[in-house]
Amino acid sequence: LPAFARDAAKPSYPAVPLLSTSTTILGEKIKYPKGDAHITGAIVTLAPGARTILHKHPVPLYAYILEGELIVDYGTHGKRTYKQGASFMEAMNVPHFGENKTDKPVRILAVYMGADGVKNAAPVK
């Protein structure tokens, strides 16, 4: 093939799929909140030995572990360990908490697919 034909056959912006799903990590059907869409992206850092509060997500949450290791306790649904490079849709209606049991920080890219006036996380008592 001529050089221009070979170059045209190579994508100049390859995409590596991370996740494609319609359910959460626990098999819940993903449901978007009512209202005007409001997307929030954040880098969440959990220090060594730190733990989140028990909570639920009223909005879909895509998570990607940038570095470190996170253990999420889903109660009767068990615990899952997510390591660097893991991506998942977090549980929505199941109370859970995350914990960093290592000596290094965990950094998570969190993308909340919410709506105006709807909180991304809600504490569970």
Side-chain angles (χ1 to χ4, degrees):
L1 288 175
F4 70 87
R6 283 193 309 271
D7 291 342
K10 293 180 186 177
S12 60
Y13 49 92
V16 176
L18 297 175
L19 180 69
S20 179
T21 187
S22 59
T23 61
T24 70
I25 195 72
L26 297 180
E28 302 163 294
K29 185 175 180 178
I30 294 171
K31 294 187 179 179
Y32 296 102
K34 293 184 181 184
D36 291 334
H38 187 99
I39 306 300
T40 303
I43 302 286
V44 177
T45 302
L46 202 56
R51 174 184 157 162
T52 70
I53 62 168
L54 186 65
H55 63 281
K56 292 183 185 181
H57 296 282
V59 304
L61 163 58
Y62 168 78
Y64 180 82
I65 307 298
L66 295 167
E67 64 181 84
E69 181 177 300
L70 177 70
I71 297 172
V72 180
D73 188 329
Y74 298 103
T76 59
H77 296 275
K79 294 181 181 180
R80 305 230 178 157
T81 301
Y82 304 104
K83 298 181 180 188
Q84 182 175 341
S87 62
F88 57 99
M89 291 300 297
E90 182 57 288
M92 295 179 69
N93 297 310
V94 174
H96 58 278
F97 66 88
E99 192 169 17
N100 178 359
K101 292 188 174 186
T102 74
D103 60 353
K104 295 180 181 162
V106 174
R107 292 182 61 236
I108 307 155
L109 169 64
V111 181
Y112 302 92
M113 291 155 261
D116 286 339
V118 179
K119 293 186 179 201
N120 293 326
V124 174
K125 295 181 182 187

